[in-house]
Amino acid sequence: MAKKELDEDLLAGGSLNNEKDKQAKKAEKLAKKNAKIKEKNESKRNALKAKIDSLKEAKVNETDEKKIEKLDNQIQKLSDKYSSVGGNSSVSIAPKTAKIIKSVVCIVIVVALLVTYVATGAVRKGFVASLSLPAQYFTGLTVSNGENTAKIKVSTYNFYFASTYNSLMSQKSSYEQSGLDASQYGLDVDFTKKLSSQTYTDPETKEEMSWSKHIHDLVLDSIESTYTYYLAAVKDNDGKDPEITEEQQSQIDDTLSQYKETANKSGYTLSAYLVLAMGKGVTESVFRTETTRQYIAQNYQSQMSTDLSEKEYTNDEINKYKDENEDSLKTVDIRLFECDSEDEAKEFAGKLKADGSNFSDLCVEYSTNDFYKKAYADDGYSTLIGMSKSSLQSRGYAIASADAHEHEDGEEHSDDEELVYSGLDWLFSSDRKAGDIYNYSTTVVYVIAPASLSDRKTINVRHILIAPETDEENASATTATDKQWSAAFDKATKILSKWDKTEDGFAKLAKENSSDGSASDGGLYSDVVTGQMVDSFSSWCFDDGRRTGDTAIVRSDYGYHIMYFAGKNDQTVWQYNAEQELMSADSTSASEKLEKEYTIKENWFGSRYFEKDIDISN
């Protein structure tokens, strides 16, 4: 080799090493970012689960059919929210990806799910234990934007089909274990029968198809989405696969290690076992390649969101958004209680004093759950600070629901249908004033402060969650006995007594004692806005007299929160929300643009070898 060529190779090697270092640092930064997002999402999921458990407990003790129906609706709404929590909630996703996530398929591999459903080797029946050369070499699909192209082998399709199939099975099982009717969530399918013999109706288009065709479409959507972001990531990385994080690589290695152990016990090699469990051609190499590419796609999409979250918007941009969307940024301060029936709500409103002074007493009187009878004695449990229309709608209050309306031919409303919200119209009317009382359906509301563009600042707060220790593992704190709640309060008091009066000291106590997902970050929640946290938590944080360094012990559905007020920020809540909406719009625009560039096409010959609906023998 000529010296010049050797020098160039050495320089290329040095450049490659530098690039790997950059990628490693980038991956480490991304891992930390994802870890924080994961913690926040876990906290949200725990909060939603506690609410669902509480409603299910109330349902068990209820005999009135109307009340049971109402509880079912509330449980369903919260369960939908529970299922949707997983990514950066402040950033929107493009329609294509949203469709996939809505259908319980996402571009990120759920390793634990595969361990649970594939490790038995019995989830999908009838797969031929053959490496199947056609599956390994024939192209079944092509994803391309004209410039960058990926030829998808049949084995890759089989991998995604198994993952999608198992994911849907898991989702259905999860609903059923929660006492919910899976058919209400679009999962009216019997996995013990042939998919091709069962009918699926698309809720948006009303198109009827077989469940086999529906799952096939989901698989194509999932592959197209994954390879869209994967190819974009490779293009932006000078044509090379970006590095995944060490944690992600470890997850893949650990999963395959578990598979290998199970395979060996059953007398299979790892690749033969994967073929048996996931389909022809799905060898260890295919599994590693596809899971790695899924992580690369996830990381690229996450980095897109991260880049946007770091974008700074000018005051002119924020004010322009405010001028065009002021109505959505206005918030109200209210007392609110949701009764079990409209008749009870009318009684509640009739007994409510003009100054609202007996609101908490009435909440206690009309609560049917023992926990809430005690909890509502605290005003914070019924006080909602800085609630926007969207935040009220997300909680499913009757006052925030659309008016009853009919559709021709029994069709459900479309996304672009204009709905009327009489309750919200009243609450956010310019005619409202403090002291107004309103009863809408099962909701009773007392206005503390009418709708306005509030000048409240976003805040930073630290807390230490001390959940009561219940007799049953993972039971909701609302089911704890008085004695268990008392023990939790004593523990919280003791921890607070050890505090050294510094923020660092409080953070240290949070890391050592809190059961909340924020513990690793010293219990810190930054840029908190009104309506974000549970009511009693938020009511304390946004009290007009709150000062930096204030502490307290606040009770919520999850336990006792030892609070530390870290301070107010410069940005108002409405400015922060406007910025988040701008970010969301930009994120959606960026992902939509990218997803429109890429299309997926089936190869007629290769698609003859796809494995679908052949797992059921009866």
Side-chain angles (χ1 to χ4, degrees):
M1 180 182 289
K3 184 178 185 303
K4 181 179 180 181
E5 292 174 342
L6 178 60
D7 288 344
E8 288 176 348
D9 281 353
L10 289 172
L11 286 171
S15 175
L16 182 60
N17 287 334
N18 289 336
E19 184 62 27
K20 285 185 176 181
D21 288 340
K22 291 180 182 178
Q23 288 293 327
K25 291 179 181 179
K26 192 174 183 179
E28 182 180 359
K29 180 180 178 182
L30 182 60
K32 291 180 178 178
K33 177 80 174 180
N34 286 339
K36 287 188 176 181
I37 293 174
K38 182 179 178 181
E39 288 174 2
K40 289 184 178 180
N41 284 335
E42 187 62 29
S43 178
K44 291 179 183 178
R45 287 171 67 86
N46 288 338
L48 288 169
K49 184 178 184 302
K51 289 185 178 180
I52 292 170
D53 290 342
S54 176
L55 289 172
K56 283 193 289 185
E57 180 188 1
K59 178 183 172 182
V60 170
N61 299 321
E62 186 55 67
T63 56
D64 186 288
E65 290 298 325
K66 288 186 177 180
K67 292 181 181 180
I68 291 175
E69 182 180 356
K70 179 184 174 183
L71 288 168
D72 279 336
N73 290 333
Q74 290 176 326
I75 291 171
Q76 180 174 330
K77 289 178 181 178
L78 290 174
S79 296
D80 283 337
K81 289 176 67 177
Y82 181 88
S83 299
S84 69
V85 174
N88 185 347
S89 59
S90 67
V91 180
S92 294
I93 53 179
K96 184 192 299 182
T97 307
K99 177 183 177 183
I100 295 167
I101 293 175
K102 183 178 179 181
S103 303
V104 205
V105 182
C106 59
I107 66 170
V108 185
I109 183 173
V110 184
V111 175
L113 179 68
L114 291 177
V115 171
T116 302
Y117 284 87
V118 179
T120 61
V123 172
R124 307 201 61 232
K125 308 161 193 165
F127 275 130
V128 179
S130 163
L131 296 186
S132 180
L133 293 180
Q136 294 185 74
Y137 293 106
F138 289 175
T139 297
L141 303 162
T142 302
V143 177
S144 176
N145 68 346
E147 180 183 355
N148 303 302
T149 301
K151 293 185 176 182
I152 312 299
K153 297 290 188 288
V154 172
S155 58
T156 295
Y157 175 92
N158 292 341
F159 167 84
Y160 275 86
F161 186 91
S163 299
T164 304
Y165 181 98
N166 292 338
S167 181
L168 290 169
M169 276 190 64
S170 173
Q171 187 73 353
K172 182 177 182 181
S173 176
S174 176
Y175 283 133
E176 290 173 343
Q177 289 174 9
S178 300
L180 302 174
D181 182 359
S183 64
Q184 294 184 14
Y185 300 87
L187 286 170
D188 54 340
V189 57
D190 185 345
F191 286 104
T192 66
K193 298 179 180 179
K194 287 184 73 68
L195 300 175
S196 57
S197 66
Q198 301 177 69
T199 302
Y200 172 83
T201 303
D202 189 295
E204 296 178 2
T205 65
K206 305 303 177 184
E207 177 187 358
E208 287 192 357
M209 65 187 79
S210 69
W211 260 92
S212 178
K213 173 66 164 57
H214 173 53
I215 294 181
H216 173 68
D217 289 345
L218 293 180
V219 172
L220 296 189
D221 285 341
S222 187
I223 292 173
E224 182 180 8
S225 184
T226 297
Y227 272 83
T228 291
Y229 288 95
Y230 165 71
L231 289 171
V234 172
K235 177 184 177 182
D236 285 358
N237 196 47
D238 298 325
K240 302 184 291 290
D241 278 16
E243 296 286 336
I244 61 176
T245 68
E246 290 184 5
E247 180 183 357
Q248 290 168 342
Q249 186 60 60
S250 177
Q251 278 192 307
I252 296 174
D253 293 339
D254 290 347
T255 300
L256 285 173
S257 178
Q258 293 179 55
Y259 291 173
K260 186 174 183 179
E261 182 179 347
T262 303
N264 291 341
K265 288 180 180 178
S266 304
Y268 294 103
T269 63
L270 175 57
S271 289
Y273 172 72
L274 286 171
V275 169
L276 179 68
M278 301 193 75
K280 294 177 183 178
V282 187
T283 62
E284 177 183 358
S285 175
V286 170
F287 188 96
R288 283 189 179 278
T289 297
E290 296 310 319
T291 52
T292 298
R293 288 178 177 179
Q294 285 180 319
Y295 277 131
I296 290 172
Q298 173 200 8
N299 294 345
Y300 186 80
Q301 194 173 28
S302 179
Q303 189 59 53
M304 285 177 63
S305 297
T306 299
D307 291 343
L308 281 168
S309 69
E310 295 173 350
K311 178 179 177 180
E312 294 185 1
Y313 292 89
T314 65
N315 288 332
D316 287 344
E317 289 173 319
I318 292 174
N319 286 326
K320 180 182 178 182
Y321 182 88
K322 182 257 294 181
D323 292 339
E324 296 173 351
N325 304 273
E326 185 169 347
D327 190 49
S328 68
L329 296 173
K330 287 183 177 179
T331 58
V332 294
D333 295 351
I334 56 176
R335 301 288 299 278
L336 183 146
F337 185 79
E338 196 73 26
C339 293
D340 289 331
S341 70
E342 292 187 1
D343 287 342
E344 287 188 356
K346 290 177 182 177
E347 290 178 6
F348 187 114
K351 294 179 181 179
L352 184 57
K353 295 179 180 179
D355 61 0
S357 58
N358 64 333
F359 200 97
S360 291
D361 293 338
L362 291 172
C363 289
V364 173
E365 179 182 342
Y366 283 87
S367 293
T368 56
N369 178 284
D370 289 341
F371 169 79
Y372 290 107
K373 278 188 174 294
K374 299 181 180 68
Y376 271 116
D378 177 359
D379 290 348
Y381 256 82
S382 61
T383 301
L384 282 63
I385 300 295
M387 301 296 287
S388 65
K389 288 182 178 179
S390 61
S391 59
L392 287 168
Q393 287 173 321
S394 69
R395 298 194 182 193
Y397 296 125
I399 195 173
S401 58
D403 292 359
H405 54 287
E406 296 180 356
H407 297 91
E408 293 184 5
D409 301 324
E411 293 186 357
E412 297 181 6
H413 72 266
S414 60
D415 292 338
D416 58 355
E417 181 181 354
E418 290 291 335
L419 298 178
V420 177
Y421 294 86
S422 297
L424 291 179
D425 289 344
W426 180 90
L427 184 56
F428 283 82
S429 168
S430 59
D431 295 332
R432 290 288 66 73
K433 60 183 182 300
D436 283 351
I437 296 173
Y438 190 53
N439 162 220
Y440 181 91
S441 183
T442 54
T443 303
V444 179
V445 64
Y446 176 88
V447 178
I448 299 173
S452 68
L453 208 61
S454 173
D455 59 359
R456 283 193 181 96
K457 308 289 188 180
T458 66
I459 59 101
N460 299 331
V461 62
R462 293 184 187 271
H463 81 126
I464 304 169
L465 176 61
I466 304 301
E469 296 182 5
T470 55
D471 296 330
E472 296 182 17
E473 188 177 358
N474 298 322
S476 167
T478 60
T479 65
T481 64
D482 289 344
K483 184 177 180 180
Q484 290 165 341
W485 274 100
S486 179
F489 181 78
D490 290 343
K491 182 178 180 181
T493 303
K494 186 176 181 180
I495 291 171
L496 185 58
S497 69
K498 296 178 180 178
W499 179 44
D500 65 2
K501 309 301 180 185
T502 69
E503 183 173 352
D504 288 343
F506 191 94
K508 184 174 182 294
L509 287 174
K511 289 180 180 180
E512 295 171 348
N513 298 283
S514 184
S515 58
D516 182 67
S518 65
S520 61
D521 203 20
L524 179 65
Y525 281 102
S526 301
D527 296 316
V528 176
V529 297
T530 54
Q532 176 182 346
M533 314 302 278
V534 292
D535 297 335
S536 53
F537 190 110
S538 184
S539 181
W540 183 86
C541 290
F542 288 97
D543 184 278
D544 290 338
R546 192 62 55 229
R547 297 290 182 270
T548 301
D550 284 355
T551 60
I553 297 177
V554 174
R555 175 168 164 161
S556 80
D557 289 13
Y558 315 113
Y560 284 107
H561 304 262
I562 309 173
M563 310 290 293
Y564 175 87
F565 192 75
K568 298 178 182 179
N569 301 308
D570 294 332
Q571 199 172 36
T572 64
V573 170
W574 75 260
Q575 287 172 329
Y576 179 86
N577 286 336
E579 193 172 62
Q580 294 299 301
E581 289 299 321
L582 285 168
M583 187 190 307
S584 177
D586 286 347
S587 175
T588 301
S589 177
S591 56
E592 279 184 342
K593 180 181 178 181
L594 178 60
E595 290 178 359
K596 284 180 180 178
E597 291 179 10
Y598 287 86
T599 58
I600 188 169
K601 293 182 179 179
E602 285 192 53
N603 178 289
W604 182 89
F605 183 76
S607 65
R608 301 308 95 186
Y609 291 87
F610 289 164
E611 293 206 39
K612 52 184 180 180
D613 201 26
I614 63 169
D615 50 317
I616 306 299
S617 57
N618 59 323

